[in-house]
Amino acid sequence: MSIVAVKLRNYQPDDEAAVVELWHSCGLMQNPLNDARKDIAFCLAGGHGEILILEDEDKIVATAMLGQDGHRGWIYYVAVASGRQGEGLGRRIVTAAEDRLKAAGVPKLQLLVRGSNTRVVGFYQRLGYQVEPAATMSRRLDGAPLPGGHQTNDETVIVTYLEMRDRPSLPHLVPKIPRHALMRAHDISVAFYRYLYDAVGRPWYWTDRKKLSDPELAEIIHADAVEVYVLYVGGIPAGFYELDARDMPDMELAYFGIMPEFIGHGLGPYLLSQALETMWQRDPERVLVNTCTLDHPKALPMYQRFGFRPYDRQEIPAPWQTADNVLDFV
Ligand SMILES: CC(C)(COP(=O)(O)OP(=O)(O)OC[C@H]1O[C@@H](n2cnc3c(N)ncnc32)[C@H](O)[C@@H]1OP(=O)(O)O)[C@@H](O)C(=O)NCCC(=O)NCCS
């Protein structure tokens, strides 16, 4: 299909339903705090934002929201209809947004790519954008909770420590998702471990392991008593867990999680049952795990359902409140 026939125009009020539908279908509405209709209204009411549309035979095939804050230009909601990706429409709409901002005298265009959408970085690089070594910081002014967790900025984090003293009867769970495989990662490389840790832990502010140097991290993950297991779905890593028997007869489920794009398929209970099965085979006296108020709200009830009992609670500062924080994302 030729893109010559595709027309560039500005958003009109009648477009709302089609635009919102496009953003949903492109996976841009994953944060429940983002309300597409409010975002459109707010952008247009402000007077320094606009929404560009590419239309092909009365069908909206691409969008971009752009604006400037008096210093930099920004672009949001870049989306190309799924059946029309790879035809140059993404390049065309981003170039159109650049032209508008250039004409308004804006010297630099910036954009944010959600941590779980790293695939799109390649697209922007192809268009001449570069990844900047900058920390993105944010604070909600509407009192809404932070993405992912149920924690507000000023609250301390509560860690709940849980234990299990007897081997539970574990359910035999089979994930509904096809083509999955669970494998122990023997002698896992530090780079692959760092990837897993970030891909799983980023929405939940996992930072402890990011503070370690490569040799410090290698010493832990290559210890004989530490085992890392990776869950693959369709050949792609979808989650992992790490078992730590260095303090036997206590054995800890040190890390456990599913990557954001694989949450919601029932993989959590499956992975937990597999982790517990392996841990009890090592014959510990106690199996330990901890979870905090930054974690997925379902984590604590899931651990309790499998037989863990809380034995301690502690308040700790949130990662962003500590001097050595290594948050490179929000
Ligand atoms: C990202 C998106 C807008 C790209 O649109 P598109 O129409 O498929 O991209 P184009 O066809 O215009 O591609 C432009 C160039 O980028 C390249 N490219 C596209 N996606 C790429 C990727 N994931 N990695 C590397 N290069 C990529 C193309 O090969 C093309 O290169 P060329 O012009 O040198 O041949 C589209 O995939 C999309 O809507 N994704 C879902 C929503 C989204 O993630 N939006 C971004 C939010 S930050």
Side-chain angles (χ1 to χ4, degrees):
M1 206 169 304
S2 153
I3 66 163
V4 180
V6 176
K7 279 190 319 202
L8 175 73
R9 64 169 174 82
N10 271 66
Y11 174 91
Q12 298 155 4
D14 283 358
D15 295 328
E16 189 187 79
V19 166
V20 173
E21 160 68 26
L22 175 64
W23 292 352
H24 274 284
S25 66
C26 281
L28 294 180
M29 303 310 306
Q30 287 174 16
N31 181 349
L33 297 176
N34 288 347
D35 179 329
R37 289 185 167 79
K38 272 196 196 156
D39 285 353
I40 292 171
F42 194 58
C43 165
L44 300 176
H48 27 199
E50 53 189 313
I51 299 168
L52 300 182
I53 303 281
L54 286 179
E55 185 182 71
D56 190 8
E57 293 180 347
D58 296 335
K59 207 169 175 330
I60 293 177
V61 290
T63 64
M65 178 188 279
L66 62 126
Q68 57 112 344
D69 55 20
H71 181 57
R72 297 288 181 234
W74 288 90
I75 185 166
Y76 298 93
Y77 289 119
V78 173
V80 173
S82 55
R84 301 295 303 266
Q85 292 177 4
E87 293 176 29
L89 296 172
R91 178 188 283 279
R92 186 160 158 205
I93 198 131
V94 171
T95 307
E98 290 171 356
D99 290 344
R100 300 265 170 126
L101 290 164
K102 246 189 271 174
V106 175
K108 188 183 183 200
L109 174 50
Q110 304 188 147
L111 58 98
L112 299 170
V113 175
R114 193 180 297 285
S116 56
N117 191 14
T118 42
R119 248 181 317 182
V120 88
V121 169
F123 162 71
Y124 285 115
Q125 283 175 325
R126 196 88 188 119
L127 267 57
Y129 288 72
Q130 57 186 36
V131 178
E132 293 214 14
T136 305
M137 304 191 68
S138 71
R139 178 166 200 195
R140 298 226 47 124
L141 300 177
D142 55 7
L146 291 166
H150 38 163
Q151 178 81 38
T152 60
N153 279 314
D154 303 327
E155 285 171 0
T156 46
V157 174
I158 310 229
V159 187
T160 304
Y161 296 86
L162 301 113
E163 65 175 10
M164 198 186 275
R165 288 180 176 269
D166 297 303
R167 188 192 176 96
S169 65
L170 291 166
H172 177 69
L173 298 172
V174 180
K176 281 182 232 103
I177 204 157
R179 292 180 297 149
H180 61 270
L182 180 61
M183 275 192 270
R184 180 168 176 190
H186 292 273
D187 294 323
I188 187 168
S189 69
V190 168
F192 185 44
Y193 182 89
R194 286 200 190 281
Y195 157 75
L196 293 172
Y197 185 87
D198 184 62
V200 170
R202 181 172 275 253
W204 320 110
Y205 301 90
W206 289 7
T207 54
D208 289 351
R209 291 279 162 92
K210 293 189 180 184
K211 294 176 190 171
L212 302 180
S213 66
D214 284 358
E216 286 167 339
L217 183 54
E219 194 183 325
I220 300 173
I221 60 180
H222 294 158
D224 287 341
V226 171
E227 301 172 45
V228 177
Y229 290 80
V230 183
L231 173 68
Y232 297 86
V233 171
I236 295 166
F240 84 103
Y241 57 82
E242 178 180 331
L243 312 180
D244 186 347
R246 287 176 299 169
D247 283 335
M248 276 298 226
D250 284 351
M251 188 161 181
E252 189 180 11
L253 177 56
Y255 290 97
F256 173 86
I258 309 282
M259 295 182 188
E261 54 274 46
F262 292 98
I263 287 177
H265 297 282
L267 290 169
Y270 162 74
L271 204 57
L272 183 57
S273 66
Q274 295 292 316
L276 289 172
E277 188 65 54
T278 309
M279 290 174 95
W280 283 104
Q281 279 167 14
R282 308 284 179 264
D283 216 15
E285 273 176 20
R286 283 201 312 168
V287 165
L288 306 176
V289 70
N290 68 67
T291 177
C292 75
T293 43
L294 293 170
D295 286 333
H296 194 294
K298 286 191 179 158
L300 179 57
M302 181 176 70
Y303 291 138
Q304 291 181 287
R305 221 172 45 245
F306 272 81
F308 280 103
R309 297 280 163 262
Y311 68 94
D312 198 8
R313 266 159 69 92
Q314 262 178 39
E315 282 192 21
I316 57 162
W320 52 88
Q321 293 166 336
T322 59
D324 65 342
N325 96 69
V326 289
L327 287 177
D328 55 351
F329 59 88
V330 172

